[in-house]
Amino acid sequence: MLELFEGPVPVEKTLARWYKEEDKSNYGAFIPFIGTIRDEDGIDGLSFDIYEPILNSWYEAWQKKAAEVGAILKMAHSKGDVPLHKSSYIAAVFSPKRRVALEMIDEFVEDFKASAPIWKYDLRDGKRIYAKDRSTAIKGSGLLSKVKDK
Amino acid sequence: MLELFEGPVPVEKTLARWYKEEDKSNYGAFIPFIGTIRDEDGIDGLSFDIYEPILNSWYEAWQKKAAEVGAILKMAHSKGDVPLHKSSYIAAVFSPKRRVALEMIDEFVEDFKASAPIWKYDLRDGKRIYAKDRSTAIKGSGLLSKVKDK
Amino acid sequence: MVRVEFLGPIQKDTINLEATTLNDVAEFLSKDTELKSWIENCAVAVNDTMVMDLNTALKDGDKVSLLPPVCGG
Amino acid sequence: MVRVEFLGPIQKDTINLEATTLNDVAEFLSKDTELKSWIENCAVAVNDTMVMDLNTALKDGDKVSLLPPVCGG
């Protein structure tokens, strides 16, 4: 189940809860990736917009992919503002064996960065500034610019 | 600091403590790998012997390697018996950026499996049976069998 | 009528228009100079499913969403 | 005297012997048929540093450790 939080993700509680949820599931490997807001470039924090319908279908497609190799995924993400040194993101893999988990956490996090419909804003002087330079166009972008005149 | 526990590693507490220890260190990525004892092949649990002096030097060499890319490592491991569904191992990377963390957790865990002086035993019917078939000869093994007669 | 929604940082209200294919939507939006820089970098979803083809048919009540470059995490 | 320790699953007590190189230790241990299967798979440390050379010099009080195949985690 994909979990969204207004503001920071409560990391300790979420990790403890996920670990407990699967503590009889016979997974040998659990790898969470925790993303935390860095103090850099003079920002006061970050802020996020999420488009939930497409995020959910992206996530469900990944769960199916994980199930094919006997693994499961968990994910938590922030909506709205997250101050410096707080966390906005946890993605996790549980799998019977370590190789599957090590490879999947990498692919899952990278595809998340490239495909999940989440938009990031720098917080500066009370303003919310789209982090355009650090954003990635989703695969297939530019479709509407290929318009055919009739 | 490498942490050794008699019996299972307390996962929730250890993750929470590590997260808190680094919550002002400005690392953007934190990836722990948690290893849990699977119920398989009819075992009652696993047991571990550790040779601490060489484990410590192996770990210090890895900390240096991590420091070269601005990262740090944390590790916890069990000594003695660990029952089914309890955890025996956490290895973690903290780094400013995600790529370093994703690549290092994989290398660190794999080198740990191949090189760390830890011996695993199956627990069966109260007996401790060396897991020879799942063990890996450390690089350079067999040196003493190359004896030169004088 | 088809509804066109602009997601994330695109500060633009929803548009309603008549369209039978995605190409009709593209043609309509190409006249909006303010949108030009976005359109080149936007992915497109119809009823929350990503699409890759301008010939995608649209029917009354369909929702077209424009997704600008993303950066989660 | 040099001390030879057998780590992990090798059920064998520490041995003390006279040796000036690691090759001397290897020669001594090669006479122990019980150790044969271990020796082929063991890595070696001198004073807790891994070594790769049978010519490694040994001095009085040195510790030689035999490390059988490992499996942490």
Side-chain angles (χ1 to χ4, degrees):
Chain A
M1 185 60 197
L2 195 157
E3 304 172 17
L4 298 177
F5 292 89
E6 289 287 343
V9 172
V11 171
E12 296 100 320
K13 280 186 191 175
T14 304
L15 291 177
R17 181 165 45 81
W18 290 354
Y19 180 70
K20 189 147 184 57
E21 281 168 8
E22 305 304 332
D23 71 353
K24 295 289 180 290
S25 309
N26 216 25
Y27 293 118
F30 166 36
I31 313 182
F33 174 104
I34 298 104
T36 300
I37 311 298
R38 301 191 68 214
D39 182 358
E40 60 184 350
D41 304 327
I43 59 167
D44 303 317
L46 295 177
S47 189
F48 298 90
D49 282 345
I50 295 184
Y51 186 60
E52 296 186 33
I54 293 179
L55 181 61
N56 283 323
S57 40
W58 170 85
Y59 183 67
E60 290 312 315
W62 262 99
Q63 282 291 18
K64 276 189 196 138
K65 189 173 167 172
E68 285 165 16
V69 290
I72 62 162
L73 303 168
K74 296 192 190 253
M75 189 174 138
H77 203 287
S78 297
K79 294 195 285 186
D81 296 357
V82 183
L84 298 180
H85 305 309
K86 296 291 177 184
S87 299
S88 54
Y89 173 46
I90 315 180
V93 182
F94 287 84
S95 91
K97 299 288 183 182
R98 78 174 185 284
R99 276 310 320 155
V100 163
L102 286 165
E103 284 162 28
M104 188 161 283
I105 192 67
D106 192 327
E107 282 180 65
F108 183 49
V109 167
E110 291 298 335
D111 188 54
F112 168 78
K113 285 277 174 186
S115 308
I118 301 182
W119 295 277
K120 182 180 281 177
Y121 304 82
D122 290 338
L123 295 174
R124 289 177 193 276
D125 307 322
K127 279 182 233 137
R128 206 168 179 253
I129 303 154
Y130 176 47
K132 191 179 176 180
D133 294 349
R134 279 129 63 208
S135 298
T136 305
I138 297 172
K139 199 181 156 194
S141 286
L143 179 64
L144 295 184
S145 64
K146 292 166 191 147
V147 56
K148 290 163 281 187
D149 287 320
K150 283 186 222 173
Chain B
M1 186 58 196
L2 195 156
E3 304 173 17
L4 298 178
F5 293 88
E6 290 287 343
V9 172
V11 172
E12 295 100 319
K13 279 185 191 173
T14 304
L15 291 177
R17 180 165 46 82
W18 290 355
Y19 181 70
K20 188 147 184 59
E21 280 168 10
E22 305 304 333
D23 72 353
K24 295 288 181 291
S25 308
N26 217 25
Y27 293 117
F30 166 36
I31 312 183
F33 174 104
I34 298 104
T36 300
I37 312 300
R38 300 190 70 215
D39 182 357
E40 59 184 350
D41 302 327
I43 59 167
D44 303 317
L46 295 177
S47 189
F48 298 91
D49 282 345
I50 294 184
Y51 186 61
E52 296 187 32
I54 293 180
L55 181 62
N56 283 323
S57 39
W58 170 85
Y59 184 67
E60 290 312 316
W62 261 99
Q63 283 290 17
K64 275 190 195 136
K65 188 172 168 174
E68 285 165 16
V69 290
I72 63 160
L73 303 169
K74 297 192 190 255
M75 189 174 137
H77 203 287
S78 296
K79 295 195 285 188
D81 297 355
V82 183
L84 299 180
H85 305 308
K86 296 290 178 184
S87 299
S88 55
Y89 173 47
I90 316 180
V93 182
F94 287 84
S95 91
K97 299 288 182 182
R98 79 174 184 283
R99 275 311 319 156
V100 163
L102 286 166
E103 283 161 29
M104 187 162 283
I105 192 66
D106 191 329
E107 282 181 64
F108 183 48
V109 167
E110 291 298 335
D111 189 54
F112 168 78
K113 286 276 173 185
S115 308
I118 302 182
W119 295 278
K120 181 179 282 177
Y121 304 82
D122 290 338
L123 295 173
R124 289 177 195 274
D125 307 322
K127 278 181 235 139
R128 206 167 179 253
I129 303 154
Y130 175 47
K132 192 179 175 181
D133 294 348
R134 278 127 64 208
S135 298
T136 305
I138 296 173
K139 201 181 156 192
S141 287
L143 180 63
L144 294 184
S145 64
K146 292 168 192 145
V147 56
K148 290 162 279 188
D149 288 321
K150 281 186 221 171
Chain C
M1 291 286 268
V2 163
R3 199 165 87 243
V4 182
E5 289 187 350
F6 303 91
L7 300 179
I10 315 179
Q11 302 282 330
K12 197 168 170 70
D13 291 337
T14 297
I15 294 174
N16 291 290
L17 63 102
E18 296 294 342
T20 58
T21 69
L22 200 56
N23 193 66
D24 295 344
V25 174
E27 214 175 339
F28 182 89
L29 297 180
S30 69
K31 289 162 193 154
D32 188 330
T33 51
E34 181 193 344
L35 273 178
K36 192 172 168 29
S37 64
W38 286 114
I39 287 212
E40 287 163 5
N41 291 312
C42 273
V44 183
V46 173
N47 300 328
D48 296 331
T49 298
M50 306 302 293
V51 294
M52 301 285 181
D53 187 349
L54 277 182
N55 297 318
T56 303
L58 298 175
K59 61 183 189 306
D60 206 38
D62 278 353
K63 178 175 68 172
V64 175
S65 308
L66 270 68
L67 295 90
V70 295
C71 188
Chain D
M1 293 284 268
V2 163
R3 198 165 87 244
V4 182
E5 289 187 349
F6 302 91
L7 300 179
I10 315 180
Q11 301 283 330
K12 199 171 168 70
D13 290 338
T14 297
I15 294 174
N16 291 289
L17 62 103
E18 296 293 344
T20 57
T21 69
L22 199 56
N23 194 65
D24 296 344
V25 175
E27 214 174 340
F28 182 88
L29 297 180
S30 69
K31 289 162 193 155
D32 189 330
T33 51
E34 181 194 344
L35 272 178
K36 192 170 166 30
S37 66
W38 286 114
I39 289 217
E40 287 163 6
N41 291 312
C42 273
V44 183
V46 174
N47 300 328
D48 296 330
T49 297
M50 306 304 292
V51 294
M52 301 286 181
D53 188 347
L54 278 182
N55 297 318
T56 304
L58 298 175
K59 62 182 188 307
D60 206 37
D62 278 352
K63 177 175 66 171
V64 175
S65 308
L66 269 69
L67 296 91
V70 295
C71 188

